[in-house]
Amino acid sequence: MIDACSREAKQMLSLKEALEKIKAAIQPVSGTEKVMLKNALGRVLSEPVYSPINIPHDRNSAMDGYAFASSDMAQKQEFTLSLVGTSWAGRPFQGQLKPGQCIRIFTGGVVPAETDSVIMQEHVQVQEKNIHFPADTKAHQNIREVGEDIKQGGLLCTHPKILTAVDLGLLASAGICDVTVRQPVKIAFFSTGDELTALGQPLESGKIYDSNRYTLNGLLADACYSVADLGVIPDDKQKLEDSLVETSKNYDVIITTGGASVGEADYVKEILESCGEVNFWKIAIKPGKPLAFGKIGQCYFFGLPGNPVAVVATFQQIVSPALKQLSGAPYSKPLQLMATCISALKKAPGRQEFQRGILTQDDNGEFFVASADKQGSHILSSMSQANCYIVLASECNGMQAGDRVTVQPFSLLI
Ligand code: AMP
Ligand code: MG
């Protein structure tokens, strides 16, 4: 059994090899477009953005307090200055300060040219128009300098970069109204299989509901993708071929689920060989061994297995990095960390496994992971309960409770 697995594994690509092949095969979509800043979240910036202004634009106060000139400070002694006005955020003090004078200032208020220091309001004593400063008053405090964050002409965002909420704020702070981003990757997906039934229809014997299209629709929710759900194609070779060829003319990527193994009704590989090119076929991962990657004309093709858990695993491990590369996003890899496994895990050597786990962190910051129970590639419920993959190397032949394992969280929240 183990030997058979190992022999088969030798004919399969490792995940690493598959990802390298994809990396070499994929060219990012070339087009760019201008979008309004508020619509740019999650898009890939396609050119660097420089600041047309200094940020901060004016020298301003970091505190609610009093602005004064350090030349008015008494050497390590208390001193008193007379209050002559106020600088609010957005409403600067209009007068000119003379020696011996100070103004009230609020956070963000412009610091007058004649002053160079701000003291917090809690540190002074106010007696009508006289402000008493303590002996330990410090000069040059609580002032935000012009261009301290970004200088005029300085780089705000490099490219390529996936724009985050913080980036939108940063660009807005420089008055940038719109940005040039990569055009979205046009992705079409459909399910294959005579057994598939649409939601809302009664379920006949031998049929199942088509869950994969719902999973894929969710997995493809990304501002960098423009996604079309093309429904279900029956197990009919001609219909499938016609659909693939037709769809390939209008999209950058086609993703199918089902029909990728070697069963009699599994035509995807055959069709791809006749109307396009197959880049690789079997990958030594579990779940998800039968997976096709290729090209039909200019359109990339991913033929995922039909089993619902395998769809998610192959999408996340293989398709997602490929789509990111197509979108022009910079290369990034999933976060992995070490955890103590609190369940025994069964595994035969031969394929790298992505078992579903439940990751927790105790009060000391230590990570623990438990198996999310049933690991069959048709068991979507345990994947739904899981929050991570437990990543087991191909040569691993199981884990004992207490062993250290590599874990890949599904998200940054556990
Ligand atoms: P296949 O890759 O077509 O041999 O399918 C493998 C398994 O996945 C079979 O049990 C299929 O019934 C199931 N399957 C295929 N497509 C879907 C789908 N869209 N939704 C849920 N299960 C599916
Ligand atoms: Mg099928």
Side-chain angles (χ1 to χ4, degrees), residues 192-193 195 235 258-259 265-266:
T192 68
E195 73 277 36
D235 285 320
D266 293 321

Side-chain angles (χ1 to χ4, degrees), residues 55 80 85 198 200 212 228 234 244 255 262 270 291 309 333 399 403 405:
I55 308 171
T80 300
N212 287 346
L244 287 178
I255 302 171
V262 287
E270 244 174 80
L291 186 141
V309 176
K333 54 183 184 178
M399 288 284 174
D403 284 350
V405 291

Side-chain angles (χ1 to χ4, degrees), residues 51-60 143-156 170 173:
S51 181
I53 57 167
N54 281 308
I55 308 171
H57 194 226
D58 296 291
R59 209 164 59 124
N60 68 87
I143 291 189
R144 301 164 175 169
E145 297 296 343
V146 170
E148 181 184 311
D149 186 353
I150 301 274
K151 297 255 182 310
Q152 185 173 21
L155 184 67
L156 285 165
L170 175 65
S173 72

Side-chain angles (χ1 to χ4, degrees), residues 309 356 358 372 379-387 410:
V309 176
R356 278 68 66 204
I358 296 171
I379 310 274
L380 209 45
S381 59
S382 67
M383 183 160 223
S384 161
Q385 286 149 23
N387 63 0
F410 292 165

